[in-house]
Amino acid sequence: MGFVMKHGRAGRAAILGVLLMAMMGAPLCVQAQAASEGVAMTNLDDALPQSVRDKMAQAGLVADAVSLWVEPLSARQGQNGAASGQMLRQNPLIRHHADTPRTPASTQKLITTYIALHTLGEHHRWATYVQPKGVIINGTLHGDLVIQGNGDPAMTHEHLRAMLTQVQARGIRHIQGDIIIDNLAFRDVKFDTHAFDGQGMRAYNAAPNAFLVNFGTVEVDVLPSGREVVSQDGDGRQQKVFMAGDRQGAAVQVLPTLADFDAPNQIAANQSSCLTESQLNLSDSRLLVTGGTNADCGRRSYWLTFFDADRLAMKAVQGEWQKLDAAFSGEVVMAKARESMGLPWLVSLSKPLGEQIHLINQYSNNVMTEQVALSLPLASGEVSVSDYPSAFSFIDRWWKKHLKSQPPVMSRASGLCRDCAITPEAMAELLVFAYQQPDFEIFKASLPVAGISGTMANLAKRDASHPAIGRAHVKTGTLNDVSSLAGYVMGRDGKWYVFVAMVNAPNAGHDAKVSAVLDEMLSHVAML
């Protein structure tokens, strides 16, 4: 039985409760399935290495709060006589509470990004259409210009500016009419950005939109004059240091250019602390900066969620177009009904999906993940207008077609949810399936490399000699009470292992001792 999450809190809670009871009441079924597939069942507590149990004791973690699955990977499809479509499995080396539903946090992005890659392919691109509705005479459009968004996860301010520049290059230099934004490819996807944790201005809380500009955020760049130089720290390691040229002030740049919006061009520089996000206050029409910044802190960028993605799109389109057409006096409005485009006059294509999932998984971009999930039924031709129920239904059906485990419970695609759930064993099955597909290398390359890139770069700062550095491609997940890792680890024996570790415990996402538990798990696998 599959479950599709609705938006209502009561509905989500009820469905989650049913699924948790079903999953937690099914160990015999799980054992029977494992036996039929040759997957060994081991004693839960005895499966954990002693070094991991020692770290758990130091962190005050009980065994029930921790799940771990480690499985060696078989030959890829087409190798050693493997039949096409057959998933080859080996006995897990470690399975500790692996059939317990856990809140996965951002490791859930692995689900959304891989299903998108498998379904749409690495070369899939989103198309934003531009269509004039009127007559073009001597470079002037006498009528309206329609921009139709279809869910591009990365319509950055640079991309928006390039698209509008293309409009001028195609022959429309002035518009005697309005600009209409059609973002109706997504339905009922708005939510209160403050609802999750009360930090609605932070970029991770941005809401999706079929015409999402700049990830739903305003970029604020603080730019003191100066340059970066390379120096050595006390241990002889090279590091970049910013050498300020002017300690009196710093320039401020806001992107994209917004119409009817006030922001300072300059702020004072002083010897106080560096400018923090809490000193920035963003409203519909103004950016306020309280205090100044220390010029020695160097150039910094802040991404602040705009309170409403529709308003951001309208103000950004108007602001960027007026830079090209200063005489524009029309309005930028949202379409009330889906526009019929016919043969589009201009098509602006996004970055390919392979690049987009790399950005998502490396930097754990939440709103891009929501965009991808909502695009699945749309891009597959199942619906003409997408919403969360259709997106999660698509994921549920894909899961049941390709995998044997219970599908995940999802209320957000990105993992920014406390009512989402998946068993580590189910996550492992997805990772094994991905490993045996032709697109695996694209998927693996999207994951942070331990100690080197993305959200796993800090491993090298915690332990410069950690054995997994450069040999593990893993996605991280963190919420207040969640810390998780999932991906692929190369052992000392040169073999690849699927690795899934999840901790659900009070303050797990902010406890260095819990991080040490996951680091030790990762170390153990890298030393196999």
Side-chain angles (χ1 to χ4, degrees):
M1 182 178 181
F3 297 87
V4 179
M5 298 302 294
K6 304 292 185 182
H7 279 299
R9 172 182 273 175
R12 288 202 303 266
I15 295 173
L16 178 61
V18 170
L19 181 59
L20 291 177
M21 287 187 288
M23 292 173 119
M24 297 183 73
L28 293 177
C29 176
V30 171
Q31 291 181 33
Q33 178 179 320
S36 69
E37 297 176 5
V39 178
M41 303 292 290
T42 59
N43 182 279
L44 294 178
D45 292 328
D46 290 345
L48 288 176
Q50 184 61 49
S51 61
V52 172
R53 281 185 270 166
D54 290 343
K55 294 291 185 182
M56 287 171 58
Q58 293 171 21
L61 290 173
V62 297
D64 289 352
V66 177
S67 290
L68 179 62
W69 180 281
V70 177
E71 178 181 344
L73 285 161
S74 301
R76 300 277 296 279
Q77 280 193 18
Q79 298 175 351
N80 298 341
S84 177
Q86 178 184 358
M87 191 187 302
L88 302 178
R89 303 292 299 272
Q90 294 193 42
N91 292 342
L93 300 181
I94 305 173
R95 62 171 327 275
H96 176 80
H97 286 296
D99 56 359
T100 300
R102 298 289 187 196
T103 303
S106 282
T107 56
Q108 184 169 287
K109 291 179 173 68
L110 297 173
I111 300 169
T112 305
T113 55
Y114 184 71
I115 292 176
L117 181 63
H118 185 262
T119 303
L120 305 178
E122 64 174 299
H123 301 297
H124 173 79
R125 293 175 186 261
W126 283 257
T128 299
Y129 300 131
V130 180
Q131 185 73 51
K133 296 180 69 177
V135 179
I136 304 170
I137 302 175
N138 295 327
T140 297
L141 169 62
H142 296 271
D144 299 331
L145 186 75
V146 178
I147 300 174
Q148 186 179 79
N150 289 290
D152 184 354
M155 175 60 74
T156 62
H157 61 83
E158 298 99 335
H159 190 171
L160 174 63
R161 185 172 300 170
M163 182 178 71
L164 296 178
T165 301
Q166 281 184 292
V167 170
Q168 288 215 323
R170 288 286 306 273
I172 298 178
R173 294 186 299 277
H174 307 288
I175 299 173
Q176 292 291 330
D178 295 333
I179 299 176
I180 301 171
I181 298 174
D182 175 359
N183 71 338
L184 298 175
F186 292 171
R187 176 177 53 210
D188 298 330
V189 297
K190 287 186 178 182
F191 51 74
D192 180 1
T193 58
H194 290 276
F196 183 75
D197 60 2
Q199 303 292 328
M201 199 171 69
R202 293 190 172 178
Y204 60 78
N205 276 316
N209 196 290
F211 186 65
L212 183 74
V213 172
N214 214 49
F215 314 111
T217 67
V218 172
E219 179 183 339
V220 180
D221 299 321
V222 179
L223 308 167
S225 64
R227 60 193 178 90
E228 283 189 339
V229 298
V230 177
S231 66
Q232 289 188 339
D233 62 17
D235 296 324
R237 291 174 296 192
Q238 288 189 339
Q239 60 180 359
K240 289 183 178 180
V241 178
F242 185 80
M243 299 293 291
D246 176 10
R247 299 180 184 276
Q248 301 303 309
V252 176
Q253 174 181 254
V254 175
L255 297 169
T257 303
L258 301 178
D260 303 318
F261 187 83
D262 292 323
N265 296 319
Q266 189 94 1
I267 60 172
N270 50 46
Q271 296 302 309
S272 63
S273 60
C274 301
L275 185 70
T276 64
E277 191 176 88
S278 63
Q279 293 173 265
L280 304 175
N281 188 280
L282 181 68
S283 71
D284 178 48
S285 59
R286 191 175 186 185
L287 172 71
L288 287 175
V289 183
T290 58
T293 187
N294 190 323
D296 289 331
C297 296
R299 302 177 181 183
R300 295 199 166 198
S301 295
Y302 307 83
W303 284 266
L304 310 178
T305 297
F306 207 76
F307 81 101
D308 180 83
D310 287 356
R311 291 287 295 162
L312 175 60
M314 289 188 288
K315 294 174 82 70
V317 168
Q318 183 171 345
E320 293 291 349
W321 179 253
Q322 284 177 331
K323 290 181 70 174
L324 301 171
D325 177 11
F328 176 69
S329 59
E331 295 185 82
V332 178
V333 298
M334 305 304 293
K336 291 183 169 54
R338 192 89 164 119
E339 294 285 341
S340 176
M341 300 302 286
L343 183 64
W345 178 76
L346 174 65
V347 179
S348 181
L349 295 177
S350 73
K351 294 179 179 179
L353 176 63
E355 291 185 31
Q356 303 238 25
I357 68 169
H358 183 272
L359 292 171
I360 289 171
N361 287 330
Q362 287 288 320
Y363 305 106
S364 210
N365 191 300
N366 289 331
V367 74
M368 287 183 72
T369 315
E370 305 298 334
Q371 296 283 115
V372 169
L374 288 162
S375 297
L376 285 170
L378 198 65
S380 300
E382 292 187 355
V383 298
S384 58
V385 176
S386 184
D387 55 15
Y388 273 115
S390 60
F392 295 142
S393 176
F394 186 99
I395 291 171
D396 186 88
R397 284 181 280 110
W398 182 95
W399 194 282
K400 288 187 288 188
K401 178 180 178 180
H402 297 285
L403 306 176
K404 297 181 179 179
S405 54
Q406 187 73 37
V409 170
M410 302 172 76
S411 58
R412 294 271 182 89
S414 61
L416 191 68
C417 42
R418 299 183 183 91
D419 54 359
C420 295
I422 187 172
T423 67
E425 184 173 7
M427 182 71 81
E429 186 187 16
L430 173 73
L431 293 172
V432 172
F433 178 87
Y435 174 78
Q436 295 176 348
Q437 304 305 309
D439 50 24
F440 171 68
E441 291 300 331
I442 301 298
F443 183 56
K444 186 183 77 172
S446 77
L447 305 182
V449 181
I452 294 176
S453 66
T455 57
M456 280 298 294
N458 282 336
L459 177 65
K461 295 181 180 179
R462 295 195 299 270
D463 181 0
S465 61
H466 195 285
I469 291 176
R471 290 172 40 218
H473 295 251
V474 288
K475 181 74 192 75
T476 58
T478 305
L479 293 174
N480 285 344
D481 299 333
V482 181
S483 190
S484 56
L485 294 173
Y488 306 92
V489 183
M490 179 182 286
R492 191 170 48 178
D493 57 8
K495 297 179 181 178
W496 284 101
Y497 297 83
V498 159
F499 172 78
V500 182
M502 297 182 182
V503 178
N504 286 184
N507 203 44
H510 305 288
D511 190 336
K513 292 182 178 178
V514 173
S515 293
V517 173
L518 295 180
D519 287 353
E520 183 58 37
M521 292 175 175
L522 195 60
S523 175
H524 177 81
V525 179
M527 292 297 290
L528 291 173

